[in-house]
Amino acid sequence: QVHLVESGGGSVQTGGSLSLSCTTSGSDTRKYCIGWFRQVPGKNRDGVALIDSRGTRGYTESTTGRFSISRDNAKNSINLQMNNLKPDDTGTYICVAVDTGVHGCDFVKLGFSKDWGQGLQVTVSS
């Protein structure tokens, strides 16, 4: 089982930037697919960004060009740099990891993972 702990987040105004970090422990996650989801009360949890074991990144239409995900396997950490933030980016950001083996890394697979962090709040004001 993977234990994930998020840090960072907070409140910014529209156009501002924030950086989130996720630290993993409990298992060797170097070969894991790892990503971030956003949860807003009353809505489905949405994927934000992901990165596979080779460093290939994936984003959604709303985060492409503004968000950047990276991983440092030596530190068991995954970072999410969020720039040009908008009020719609507001929500609880949750780190998730899944061992997909050779079957690829995507938000659907991540969504079925049993290993999620506690989440942290990001608030973007207009």
Side-chain angles (χ1 to χ4, degrees):
Q1 183 174 1
V2 179
H3 185 57
L4 303 105
V5 178
E6 302 96 338
S7 61
S11 299
V12 293
Q13 292 186 326
T14 297
S17 298
L18 284 173
S19 179
L20 308 182
S21 291
C22 174
T23 302
T24 67
S25 62
S27 296
D28 182 357
T29 57
R30 287 177 295 176
K31 295 184 179 181
Y32 276 50
C33 167
I34 302 179
W36 291 89
F37 277 68
R38 179 176 60 239
Q39 178 74 64
V40 177
K43 296 186 178 180
N44 292 330
R45 192 158 44 190
D46 292 327
V48 172
L50 56 80
I51 187 166
D52 71 9
S53 60
R54 296 171 296 178
T56 301
R57 298 162 174 82
Y59 302 97
T60 66
E61 185 175 346
S62 68
T63 61
T64 296
R66 299 188 301 122
F67 290 15
S68 178
I69 189 171
S70 62
R71 66 192 297 166
D72 185 338
N73 288 331
K75 297 180 178 179
N76 293 325
S77 68
I78 300 86
N79 298 303
L80 181 68
Q81 178 65 38
M82 305 184 294
N83 299 322
N84 191 22
L85 284 161
K86 305 174 182 180
D88 284 347
D89 295 319
T90 295
T92 299
Y93 282 68
I94 312 167
C95 185
V96 55
V98 65
D99 184 1
T100 59
V102 297
H103 301 295
C105 178
D106 58 48
F107 290 117
V108 174
K109 293 184 178 68
L110 282 169
F112 282 105
S113 174
K114 57 178 173 50
D115 296 320
W116 295 77
Q118 291 294 318
L120 49 77
Q121 182 66 30
V122 169
T123 302
V124 184
S125 59
S126 58

PDB file of all heavy atoms in Angstrom, residues 38-78:
ATOM      1  N   ARG A  38      -8.911  16.930  -8.638  1.00  0.00           N
ATOM      2  CA  ARG A  38      -9.544  18.055  -7.949  1.00  0.00           C
ATOM      3  C   ARG A  38     -10.969  17.667  -7.592  1.00  0.00           C
ATOM      4  O   ARG A  38     -11.715  17.166  -8.436  1.00  0.00           O
ATOM      5  CB  ARG A  38      -9.544  19.311  -8.814  1.00  0.00           C
ATOM      6  CG  ARG A  38     -10.223  20.513  -8.157  1.00  0.00           C
ATOM      7  CD  ARG A  38     -10.104  21.756  -9.026  1.00  0.00           C
ATOM      8  NE  ARG A  38     -10.717  21.578 -10.318  1.00  0.00           N
ATOM      9  CZ  ARG A  38     -10.059  21.692 -11.465  1.00  0.00           C
ATOM     10  NH1 ARG A  38      -8.765  21.975 -11.464  1.00  0.00           N
ATOM     11  NH2 ARG A  38     -10.685  21.535 -12.613  1.00  0.00           N
ATOM     12  N   GLN A  39     -11.331  17.928  -6.347  1.00  0.00           N
ATOM     13  CA  GLN A  39     -12.676  17.627  -5.851  1.00  0.00           C
ATOM     14  C   GLN A  39     -13.361  18.917  -5.434  1.00  0.00           C
ATOM     15  O   GLN A  39     -12.806  19.696  -4.650  1.00  0.00           O
ATOM     16  CB  GLN A  39     -12.600  16.680  -4.653  1.00  0.00           C
ATOM     17  CG  GLN A  39     -13.945  16.356  -4.042  1.00  0.00           C
ATOM     18  CD  GLN A  39     -14.750  15.407  -4.903  1.00  0.00           C
ATOM     19  OE1 GLN A  39     -14.374  14.273  -5.114  1.00  0.00           O
ATOM     20  NE2 GLN A  39     -15.896  15.863  -5.397  1.00  0.00           N
ATOM     21  N   VAL A  40     -14.539  19.135  -5.992  1.00  0.00           N
ATOM     22  CA  VAL A  40     -15.362  20.276  -5.610  1.00  0.00           C
ATOM     23  C   VAL A  40     -16.663  19.717  -5.044  1.00  0.00           C
ATOM     24  O   VAL A  40     -17.241  18.796  -5.620  1.00  0.00           O
ATOM     25  CB  VAL A  40     -15.658  21.174  -6.832  1.00  0.00           C
ATOM     26  CG1 VAL A  40     -16.588  22.318  -6.442  1.00  0.00           C
ATOM     27  CG2 VAL A  40     -14.364  21.725  -7.412  1.00  0.00           C
ATOM     28  N   PRO A  41     -17.142  20.250  -3.915  1.00  0.00           N
ATOM     29  CA  PRO A  41     -18.372  19.718  -3.308  1.00  0.00           C
ATOM     30  C   PRO A  41     -19.519  19.670  -4.302  1.00  0.00           C
ATOM     31  O   PRO A  41     -19.792  20.639  -5.013  1.00  0.00           O
ATOM     32  CB  PRO A  41     -18.657  20.707  -2.175  1.00  0.00           C
ATOM     33  CG  PRO A  41     -17.322  21.231  -1.802  1.00  0.00           C
ATOM     34  CD  PRO A  41     -16.557  21.317  -3.092  1.00  0.00           C
ATOM     35  N   GLY A  42     -20.178  18.528  -4.359  1.00  0.00           N
ATOM     36  CA  GLY A  42     -21.317  18.382  -5.235  1.00  0.00           C
ATOM     37  C   GLY A  42     -20.988  18.000  -6.666  1.00  0.00           C
ATOM     38  O   GLY A  42     -21.889  17.850  -7.490  1.00  0.00           O
ATOM     39  N   LYS A  43     -19.722  17.860  -6.971  1.00  0.00           N
ATOM     40  CA  LYS A  43     -19.299  17.515  -8.327  1.00  0.00           C
ATOM     41  C   LYS A  43     -18.404  16.285  -8.304  1.00  0.00           C
ATOM     42  O   LYS A  43     -17.852  15.911  -7.283  1.00  0.00           O
ATOM     43  CB  LYS A  43     -18.566  18.690  -8.972  1.00  0.00           C
ATOM     44  CG  LYS A  43     -19.433  19.926  -9.184  1.00  0.00           C
ATOM     45  CD  LYS A  43     -18.688  20.992  -9.958  1.00  0.00           C
ATOM     46  CE  LYS A  43     -19.570  22.203 -10.219  1.00  0.00           C
ATOM     47  NZ  LYS A  43     -18.849  23.254 -10.989  1.00  0.00           N
ATOM     48  N   ASN A  44     -18.249  15.679  -9.468  1.00  0.00           N
ATOM     49  CA  ASN A  44     -17.349  14.546  -9.580  1.00  0.00           C
ATOM     50  C   ASN A  44     -15.904  14.978  -9.406  1.00  0.00           C
ATOM     51  O   ASN A  44     -15.545  16.118  -9.694  1.00  0.00           O
ATOM     52  CB  ASN A  44     -17.501  13.882 -10.955  1.00  0.00           C
ATOM     53  CG  ASN A  44     -18.844  13.211 -11.129  1.00  0.00           C
ATOM     54  OD1 ASN A  44     -19.443  12.743 -10.173  1.00  0.00           O
ATOM     55  ND2 ASN A  44     -19.309  13.161 -12.364  1.00  0.00           N
ATOM     56  N   ARG A  45     -15.103  14.038  -8.947  1.00  0.00           N
ATOM     57  CA  ARG A  45     -13.679  14.296  -8.832  1.00  0.00           C
ATOM     58  C   ARG A  45     -13.065  14.269 -10.241  1.00  0.00           C
ATOM     59  O   ARG A  45     -13.259  13.312 -10.987  1.00  0.00           O
ATOM     60  CB  ARG A  45     -13.056  13.212  -7.953  1.00  0.00           C
ATOM     61  CG  ARG A  45     -11.673  13.461  -7.500  1.00  0.00           C
ATOM     62  CD  ARG A  45     -11.354  12.640  -6.261  1.00  0.00           C
ATOM     63  NE  ARG A  45     -11.814  11.272  -6.333  1.00  0.00           N
ATOM     64  CZ  ARG A  45     -11.812  10.430  -5.303  1.00  0.00           C
ATOM     65  NH1 ARG A  45     -11.377  10.841  -4.124  1.00  0.00           N
ATOM     66  NH2 ARG A  45     -12.228   9.200  -5.434  1.00  0.00           N
ATOM     67  N   ASP A  46     -12.344  15.322 -10.593  1.00  0.00           N
ATOM     68  CA  ASP A  46     -11.789  15.462 -11.939  1.00  0.00           C
ATOM     69  C   ASP A  46     -10.276  15.346 -11.942  1.00  0.00           C
ATOM     70  O   ASP A  46      -9.602  15.880 -11.055  1.00  0.00           O
ATOM     71  CB  ASP A  46     -12.174  16.822 -12.533  1.00  0.00           C
ATOM     72  CG  ASP A  46     -13.659  16.937 -12.818  1.00  0.00           C
ATOM     73  OD1 ASP A  46     -14.283  15.917 -13.161  1.00  0.00           O
ATOM     74  OD2 ASP A  46     -14.185  18.055 -12.686  1.00  0.00           O
ATOM     75  N   GLY A  47      -9.751  14.685 -12.967  1.00  0.00           N
ATOM     76  CA  GLY A  47      -8.316  14.621 -13.132  1.00  0.00           C
ATOM     77  C   GLY A  47      -7.742  15.976 -13.469  1.00  0.00           C
ATOM     78  O   GLY A  47      -8.399  16.800 -14.112  1.00  0.00           O
ATOM     79  N   VAL A  48      -6.509  16.216 -13.027  1.00  0.00           N
ATOM     80  CA  VAL A  48      -5.835  17.498 -13.265  1.00  0.00           C
ATOM     81  C   VAL A  48      -4.555  17.283 -14.069  1.00  0.00           C
ATOM     82  O   VAL A  48      -4.332  17.937 -15.082  1.00  0.00           O
ATOM     83  CB  VAL A  48      -5.508  18.178 -11.926  1.00  0.00           C
ATOM     84  CG1 VAL A  48      -4.642  19.413 -12.152  1.00  0.00           C
ATOM     85  CG2 VAL A  48      -6.783  18.538 -11.177  1.00  0.00           C
ATOM     86  N   ALA A  49      -3.710  16.388 -13.596  1.00  0.00           N
ATOM     87  CA  ALA A  49      -2.441  16.090 -14.266  1.00  0.00           C
ATOM     88  C   ALA A  49      -1.946  14.739 -13.800  1.00  0.00           C
ATOM     89  O   ALA A  49      -2.279  14.295 -12.702  1.00  0.00           O
ATOM     90  CB  ALA A  49      -1.398  17.168 -13.973  1.00  0.00           C
ATOM     91  N   LEU A  50      -1.144  14.093 -14.640  1.00  0.00           N
ATOM     92  CA  LEU A  50      -0.573  12.808 -14.272  1.00  0.00           C
ATOM     93  C   LEU A  50       0.804  12.650 -14.893  1.00  0.00           C
ATOM     94  O   LEU A  50       1.166  13.365 -15.843  1.00  0.00           O
ATOM     95  CB  LEU A  50      -1.488  11.651 -14.684  1.00  0.00           C
ATOM     96  CG  LEU A  50      -1.902  11.542 -16.165  1.00  0.00           C
ATOM     97  CD1 LEU A  50      -0.815  10.907 -17.013  1.00  0.00           C
ATOM     98  CD2 LEU A  50      -3.175  10.702 -16.285  1.00  0.00           C
ATOM     99  N   ILE A  51       1.548  11.706 -14.347  1.00  0.00           N
ATOM    100  CA  ILE A  51       2.880  11.417 -14.878  1.00  0.00           C
ATOM    101  C   ILE A  51       3.160   9.934 -14.699  1.00  0.00           C
ATOM    102  O   ILE A  51       2.856   9.350 -13.648  1.00  0.00           O
ATOM    103  CB  ILE A  51       3.943  12.305 -14.180  1.00  0.00           C
ATOM    104  CG1 ILE A  51       5.312  12.145 -14.843  1.00  0.00           C
ATOM    105  CG2 ILE A  51       4.010  12.020 -12.686  1.00  0.00           C
ATOM    106  CD1 ILE A  51       6.307  13.225 -14.429  1.00  0.00           C
ATOM    107  N   ASP A  52       3.711   9.315 -15.731  1.00  0.00           N
ATOM    108  CA  ASP A  52       3.987   7.888 -15.627  1.00  0.00           C
ATOM    109  C   ASP A  52       5.429   7.651 -15.195  1.00  0.00           C
ATOM    110  O   ASP A  52       6.179   8.589 -14.912  1.00  0.00           O
ATOM    111  CB  ASP A  52       3.644   7.166 -16.938  1.00  0.00           C
ATOM    112  CG  ASP A  52       4.599   7.480 -18.089  1.00  0.00           C
ATOM    113  OD1 ASP A  52       5.638   8.127 -17.863  1.00  0.00           O
ATOM    114  OD2 ASP A  52       4.291   7.062 -19.223  1.00  0.00           O
ATOM    115  N   SER A  53       5.810   6.378 -15.134  1.00  0.00           N
ATOM    116  CA  SER A  53       7.130   6.030 -14.614  1.00  0.00           C
ATOM    117  C   SER A  53       8.259   6.525 -15.501  1.00  0.00           C
ATOM    118  O   SER A  53       9.386   6.695 -15.034  1.00  0.00           O
ATOM    119  CB  SER A  53       7.233   4.515 -14.458  1.00  0.00           C
ATOM    120  OG  SER A  53       7.044   3.874 -15.709  1.00  0.00           O
ATOM    121  N   ARG A  54       7.972   6.768 -16.769  1.00  0.00           N
ATOM    122  CA  ARG A  54       9.023   7.254 -17.684  1.00  0.00           C
ATOM    123  C   ARG A  54       9.074   8.766 -17.741  1.00  0.00           C
ATOM    124  O   ARG A  54       9.915   9.332 -18.430  1.00  0.00           O
ATOM    125  CB  ARG A  54       8.774   6.691 -19.087  1.00  0.00           C
ATOM    126  CG  ARG A  54       8.881   5.177 -19.186  1.00  0.00           C
ATOM    127  CD  ARG A  54       8.405   4.696 -20.533  1.00  0.00           C
ATOM    128  NE  ARG A  54       6.986   4.980 -20.722  1.00  0.00           N
ATOM    129  CZ  ARG A  54       6.312   4.697 -21.823  1.00  0.00           C
ATOM    130  NH1 ARG A  54       6.935   4.128 -22.845  1.00  0.00           N
ATOM    131  NH2 ARG A  54       5.021   4.964 -21.912  1.00  0.00           N
ATOM    132  N   GLY A  55       8.156   9.422 -17.030  1.00  0.00           N
ATOM    133  CA  GLY A  55       8.135  10.877 -17.037  1.00  0.00           C
ATOM    134  C   GLY A  55       7.203  11.475 -18.070  1.00  0.00           C
ATOM    135  O   GLY A  55       7.161  12.696 -18.227  1.00  0.00           O
ATOM    136  N   THR A  56       6.454  10.631 -18.757  1.00  0.00           N
ATOM    137  CA  THR A  56       5.465  11.147 -19.708  1.00  0.00           C
ATOM    138  C   THR A  56       4.317  11.782 -18.940  1.00  0.00           C
ATOM    139  O   THR A  56       3.772  11.191 -18.017  1.00  0.00           O
ATOM    140  CB  THR A  56       4.931  10.012 -20.592  1.00  0.00           C
ATOM    141  OG1 THR A  56       6.026   9.403 -21.298  1.00  0.00           O
ATOM    142  CG2 THR A  56       3.934  10.555 -21.604  1.00  0.00           C
ATOM    143  N   ARG A  57       3.967  12.983 -19.350  1.00  0.00           N
ATOM    144  CA  ARG A  57       2.964  13.768 -18.625  1.00  0.00           C
ATOM    145  C   ARG A  57       1.634  13.799 -19.355  1.00  0.00           C
ATOM    146  O   ARG A  57       1.586  13.704 -20.591  1.00  0.00           O
ATOM    147  CB  ARG A  57       3.477  15.197 -18.435  1.00  0.00           C
ATOM    148  CG  ARG A  57       4.745  15.287 -17.598  1.00  0.00           C
ATOM    149  CD  ARG A  57       5.430  16.616 -17.797  1.00  0.00           C
ATOM    150  NE  ARG A  57       6.577  16.808 -16.907  1.00  0.00           N
ATOM    151  CZ  ARG A  57       7.787  16.323 -17.152  1.00  0.00           C
ATOM    152  NH1 ARG A  57       8.017  15.633 -18.238  1.00  0.00           N
ATOM    153  NH2 ARG A  57       8.761  16.547 -16.286  1.00  0.00           N
ATOM    154  N   GLY A  58       0.582  13.975 -18.578  1.00  0.00           N
ATOM    155  CA  GLY A  58      -0.746  14.114 -19.158  1.00  0.00           C
ATOM    156  C   GLY A  58      -1.520  15.200 -18.444  1.00  0.00           C
ATOM    157  O   GLY A  58      -1.400  15.367 -17.219  1.00  0.00           O
ATOM    158  N   TYR A  59      -2.273  15.963 -19.201  1.00  0.00           N
ATOM    159  CA  TYR A  59      -3.061  17.067 -18.644  1.00  0.00           C
ATOM    160  C   TYR A  59      -4.462  17.025 -19.240  1.00  0.00           C
ATOM    161  O   TYR A  59      -4.727  16.317 -20.204  1.00  0.00           O
ATOM    162  CB  TYR A  59      -2.399  18.408 -18.969  1.00  0.00           C
ATOM    163  CG  TYR A  59      -0.983  18.529 -18.468  1.00  0.00           C
ATOM    164  CD1 TYR A  59       0.095  18.268 -19.314  1.00  0.00           C
ATOM    165  CD2 TYR A  59      -0.714  18.897 -17.151  1.00  0.00           C
ATOM    166  CE1 TYR A  59       1.404  18.359 -18.853  1.00  0.00           C
ATOM    167  CE2 TYR A  59       0.587  18.998 -16.688  1.00  0.00           C
ATOM    168  CZ  TYR A  59       1.644  18.729 -17.541  1.00  0.00           C
ATOM    169  OH  TYR A  59       2.933  18.818 -17.082  1.00  0.00           O
ATOM    170  N   THR A  60      -5.328  17.827 -18.671  1.00  0.00           N
ATOM    171  CA  THR A  60      -6.662  17.978 -19.235  1.00  0.00           C
ATOM    172  C   THR A  60      -6.676  19.225 -20.105  1.00  0.00           C
ATOM    173  O   THR A  60      -5.729  20.023 -20.114  1.00  0.00           O
ATOM    174  CB  THR A  60      -7.707  18.108 -18.129  1.00  0.00           C
ATOM    175  OG1 THR A  60      -7.469  19.338 -17.422  1.00  0.00           O
ATOM    176  CG2 THR A  60      -7.627  16.950 -17.152  1.00  0.00           C
ATOM    177  N   GLU A  61      -7.797  19.414 -20.789  1.00  0.00           N
ATOM    178  CA  GLU A  61      -7.916  20.581 -21.649  1.00  0.00           C
ATOM    179  C   GLU A  61      -7.785  21.867 -20.841  1.00  0.00           C
ATOM    180  O   GLU A  61      -7.201  22.854 -21.298  1.00  0.00           O
ATOM    181  CB  GLU A  61      -9.259  20.554 -22.376  1.00  0.00           C
ATOM    182  CG  GLU A  61      -9.430  21.670 -23.391  1.00  0.00           C
ATOM    183  CD  GLU A  61     -10.724  21.536 -24.176  1.00  0.00           C
ATOM    184  OE1 GLU A  61     -11.346  20.461 -24.120  1.00  0.00           O
ATOM    185  OE2 GLU A  61     -11.113  22.516 -24.838  1.00  0.00           O
ATOM    186  N   SER A  62      -8.302  21.861 -19.620  1.00  0.00           N
ATOM    187  CA  SER A  62      -8.281  23.090 -18.825  1.00  0.00           C
ATOM    188  C   SER A  62      -6.936  23.360 -18.159  1.00  0.00           C
ATOM    189  O   SER A  62      -6.672  24.503 -17.759  1.00  0.00           O
ATOM    190  CB  SER A  62      -9.365  23.030 -17.747  1.00  0.00           C
ATOM    191  OG  SER A  62      -9.065  22.042 -16.783  1.00  0.00           O
ATOM    192  N   THR A  63      -6.099  22.348 -18.030  1.00  0.00           N
ATOM    193  CA  THR A  63      -4.823  22.558 -17.336  1.00  0.00           C
ATOM    194  C   THR A  63      -3.622  22.610 -18.277  1.00  0.00           C
ATOM    195  O   THR A  63      -2.542  23.046 -17.877  1.00  0.00           O
ATOM    196  CB  THR A  63      -4.579  21.460 -16.292  1.00  0.00           C
ATOM    197  OG1 THR A  63      -4.520  20.173 -16.939  1.00  0.00           O
ATOM    198  CG2 THR A  63      -5.680  21.457 -15.244  1.00  0.00           C
ATOM    199  N   THR A  64      -3.814  22.177 -19.515  1.00  0.00           N
ATOM    200  CA  THR A  64      -2.719  22.229 -20.482  1.00  0.00           C
ATOM    201  C   THR A  64      -2.232  23.659 -20.679  1.00  0.00           C
ATOM    202  O   THR A  64      -3.032  24.571 -20.870  1.00  0.00           O
ATOM    203  CB  THR A  64      -3.178  21.657 -21.831  1.00  0.00           C
ATOM    204  OG1 THR A  64      -3.496  20.275 -21.666  1.00  0.00           O
ATOM    205  CG2 THR A  64      -2.094  21.798 -22.886  1.00  0.00           C
ATOM    206  N   GLY A  65      -0.922  23.814 -20.584  1.00  0.00           N
ATOM    207  CA  GLY A  65      -0.333  25.126 -20.791  1.00  0.00           C
ATOM    208  C   GLY A  65      -0.242  25.973 -19.535  1.00  0.00           C
ATOM    209  O   GLY A  65       0.471  26.989 -19.505  1.00  0.00           O
ATOM    210  N   ARG A  66      -0.962  25.559 -18.482  1.00  0.00           N
ATOM    211  CA  ARG A  66      -0.924  26.334 -17.225  1.00  0.00           C
ATOM    212  C   ARG A  66      -0.305  25.529 -16.087  1.00  0.00           C
ATOM    213  O   ARG A  66       0.354  26.094 -15.212  1.00  0.00           O
ATOM    214  CB  ARG A  66      -2.339  26.763 -16.827  1.00  0.00           C
ATOM    215  CG  ARG A  66      -3.031  27.649 -17.831  1.00  0.00           C
ATOM    216  CD  ARG A  66      -4.358  28.188 -17.284  1.00  0.00           C
ATOM    217  NE  ARG A  66      -5.289  27.125 -16.930  1.00  0.00           N
ATOM    218  CZ  ARG A  66      -5.813  26.944 -15.727  1.00  0.00           C
ATOM    219  NH1 ARG A  66      -5.499  27.764 -14.745  1.00  0.00           N
ATOM    220  NH2 ARG A  66      -6.664  25.953 -15.512  1.00  0.00           N
ATOM    221  N   PHE A  67      -0.519  24.222 -16.098  1.00  0.00           N
ATOM    222  CA  PHE A  67      -0.016  23.362 -15.032  1.00  0.00           C
ATOM    223  C   PHE A  67       1.141  22.527 -15.545  1.00  0.00           C
ATOM    224  O   PHE A  67       1.206  22.179 -16.721  1.00  0.00           O
ATOM    225  CB  PHE A  67      -1.112  22.422 -14.536  1.00  0.00           C
ATOM    226  CG  PHE A  67      -2.217  23.075 -13.762  1.00  0.00           C
ATOM    227  CD1 PHE A  67      -2.398  24.450 -13.769  1.00  0.00           C
ATOM    228  CD2 PHE A  67      -3.097  22.306 -13.022  1.00  0.00           C
ATOM    229  CE1 PHE A  67      -3.425  25.044 -13.059  1.00  0.00           C
ATOM    230  CE2 PHE A  67      -4.128  22.882 -12.308  1.00  0.00           C
ATOM    231  CZ  PHE A  67      -4.289  24.257 -12.321  1.00  0.00           C
ATOM    232  N   SER A  68       2.066  22.206 -14.626  1.00  0.00           N
ATOM    233  CA  SER A  68       3.201  21.363 -14.988  1.00  0.00           C
ATOM    234  C   SER A  68       3.466  20.371 -13.863  1.00  0.00           C
ATOM    235  O   SER A  68       3.678  20.772 -12.719  1.00  0.00           O
ATOM    236  CB  SER A  68       4.437  22.224 -15.237  1.00  0.00           C
ATOM    237  OG  SER A  68       5.547  21.404 -15.539  1.00  0.00           O
ATOM    238  N   ILE A  69       3.470  19.089 -14.206  1.00  0.00           N
ATOM    239  CA  ILE A  69       3.710  18.050 -13.218  1.00  0.00           C
ATOM    240  C   ILE A  69       5.101  17.468 -13.431  1.00  0.00           C
ATOM    241  O   ILE A  69       5.577  17.348 -14.563  1.00  0.00           O
ATOM    242  CB  ILE A  69       2.624  16.944 -13.300  1.00  0.00           C
ATOM    243  CG1 ILE A  69       2.741  15.977 -12.124  1.00  0.00           C
ATOM    244  CG2 ILE A  69       2.687  16.217 -14.639  1.00  0.00           C
ATOM    245  CD1 ILE A  69       1.558  15.004 -12.024  1.00  0.00           C
ATOM    246  N   SER A  70       5.756  17.138 -12.344  1.00  0.00           N
ATOM    247  CA  SER A  70       7.088  16.535 -12.421  1.00  0.00           C
ATOM    248  C   SER A  70       7.254  15.569 -11.254  1.00  0.00           C
ATOM    249  O   SER A  70       6.489  15.612 -10.292  1.00  0.00           O
ATOM    250  CB  SER A  70       8.178  17.609 -12.379  1.00  0.00           C
ATOM    251  OG  SER A  70       8.117  18.329 -11.156  1.00  0.00           O
ATOM    252  N   ARG A  71       8.242  14.710 -11.355  1.00  0.00           N
ATOM    253  CA  ARG A  71       8.496  13.768 -10.278  1.00  0.00           C
ATOM    254  C   ARG A  71       9.994  13.659 -10.008  1.00  0.00           C
ATOM    255  O   ARG A  71      10.813  13.783 -10.930  1.00  0.00           O
ATOM    256  CB  ARG A  71       7.910  12.389 -10.586  1.00  0.00           C
ATOM    257  CG  ARG A  71       8.526  11.644 -11.740  1.00  0.00           C
ATOM    258  CD  ARG A  71       7.665  10.427 -12.132  1.00  0.00           C
ATOM    259  NE  ARG A  71       7.562   9.436 -11.066  1.00  0.00           N
ATOM    260  CZ  ARG A  71       6.667   8.447 -11.077  1.00  0.00           C
ATOM    261  NH1 ARG A  71       5.804   8.331 -12.075  1.00  0.00           N
ATOM    262  NH2 ARG A  71       6.631   7.575 -10.080  1.00  0.00           N
ATOM    263  N   ASP A  72      10.324  13.439  -8.752  1.00  0.00           N
ATOM    264  CA  ASP A  72      11.702  13.226  -8.333  1.00  0.00           C
ATOM    265  C   ASP A  72      11.728  11.891  -7.601  1.00  0.00           C
ATOM    266  O   ASP A  72      11.397  11.812  -6.420  1.00  0.00           O
ATOM    267  CB  ASP A  72      12.156  14.368  -7.412  1.00  0.00           C
ATOM    268  CG  ASP A  72      13.624  14.263  -7.040  1.00  0.00           C
ATOM    269  OD1 ASP A  72      14.200  13.156  -7.121  1.00  0.00           O
ATOM    270  OD2 ASP A  72      14.195  15.285  -6.642  1.00  0.00           O
ATOM    271  N   ASN A  73      12.082  10.839  -8.306  1.00  0.00           N
ATOM    272  CA  ASN A  73      12.035   9.505  -7.725  1.00  0.00           C
ATOM    273  C   ASN A  73      13.012   9.344  -6.562  1.00  0.00           C
ATOM    274  O   ASN A  73      12.764   8.568  -5.643  1.00  0.00           O
ATOM    275  CB  ASN A  73      12.319   8.451  -8.795  1.00  0.00           C
ATOM    276  CG  ASN A  73      11.162   8.296  -9.765  1.00  0.00           C
ATOM    277  OD1 ASN A  73      10.010   8.524  -9.419  1.00  0.00           O
ATOM    278  ND2 ASN A  73      11.474   7.908 -10.999  1.00  0.00           N
ATOM    279  N   ALA A  74      14.107  10.073  -6.594  1.00  0.00           N
ATOM    280  CA  ALA A  74      15.072   9.984  -5.494  1.00  0.00           C
ATOM    281  C   ALA A  74      14.471  10.494  -4.189  1.00  0.00           C
ATOM    282  O   ALA A  74      14.842  10.046  -3.102  1.00  0.00           O
ATOM    283  CB  ALA A  74      16.330  10.776  -5.841  1.00  0.00           C
ATOM    284  N   LYS A  75      13.531  11.433  -4.306  1.00  0.00           N
ATOM    285  CA  LYS A  75      12.894  12.013  -3.123  1.00  0.00           C
ATOM    286  C   LYS A  75      11.472  11.491  -2.914  1.00  0.00           C
ATOM    287  O   LYS A  75      10.777  11.935  -1.998  1.00  0.00           O
ATOM    288  CB  LYS A  75      12.863  13.536  -3.231  1.00  0.00           C
ATOM    289  CG  LYS A  75      14.240  14.175  -3.279  1.00  0.00           C
ATOM    290  CD  LYS A  75      14.130  15.699  -3.374  1.00  0.00           C
ATOM    291  CE  LYS A  75      15.506  16.345  -3.385  1.00  0.00           C
ATOM    292  NZ  LYS A  75      15.419  17.830  -3.503  1.00  0.00           N
ATOM    293  N   ASN A  76      11.048  10.553  -3.779  1.00  0.00           N
ATOM    294  CA  ASN A  76       9.674  10.019  -3.701  1.00  0.00           C
ATOM    295  C   ASN A  76       8.649  11.152  -3.700  1.00  0.00           C
ATOM    296  O   ASN A  76       7.688  11.136  -2.897  1.00  0.00           O
ATOM    297  CB  ASN A  76       9.503   9.164  -2.443  1.00  0.00           C
ATOM    298  CG  ASN A  76      10.324   7.892  -2.490  1.00  0.00           C
ATOM    299  OD1 ASN A  76      10.501   7.290  -3.549  1.00  0.00           O
ATOM    300  ND2 ASN A  76      10.855   7.480  -1.356  1.00  0.00           N
ATOM    301  N   SER A  77       8.841  12.116  -4.554  1.00  0.00           N
ATOM    302  CA  SER A  77       7.941  13.263  -4.558  1.00  0.00           C
ATOM    303  C   SER A  77       7.453  13.581  -5.964  1.00  0.00           C
ATOM    304  O   SER A  77       8.143  13.327  -6.952  1.00  0.00           O
ATOM    305  CB  SER A  77       8.631  14.488  -3.966  1.00  0.00           C
ATOM    306  OG  SER A  77       9.661  14.945  -4.808  1.00  0.00           O
ATOM    307  N   ILE A  78       6.259  14.115  -6.005  1.00  0.00           N
ATOM    308  CA  ILE A  78       5.639  14.554  -7.251  1.00  0.00           C
ATOM    309  C   ILE A  78       5.210  15.990  -7.029  1.00  0.00           C
ATOM    310  O   ILE A  78       4.583  16.307  -6.015  1.00  0.00           O
ATOM    311  CB  ILE A  78       4.417  13.694  -7.613  1.00  0.00           C
ATOM    312  CG1 ILE A  78       4.844  12.234  -7.770  1.00  0.00           C
ATOM    313  CG2 ILE A  78       3.758  14.192  -8.885  1.00  0.00           C
ATOM    314  CD1 ILE A  78       4.854  11.448  -6.479  1.00  0.00           C
TER     315      ILE A  78
END
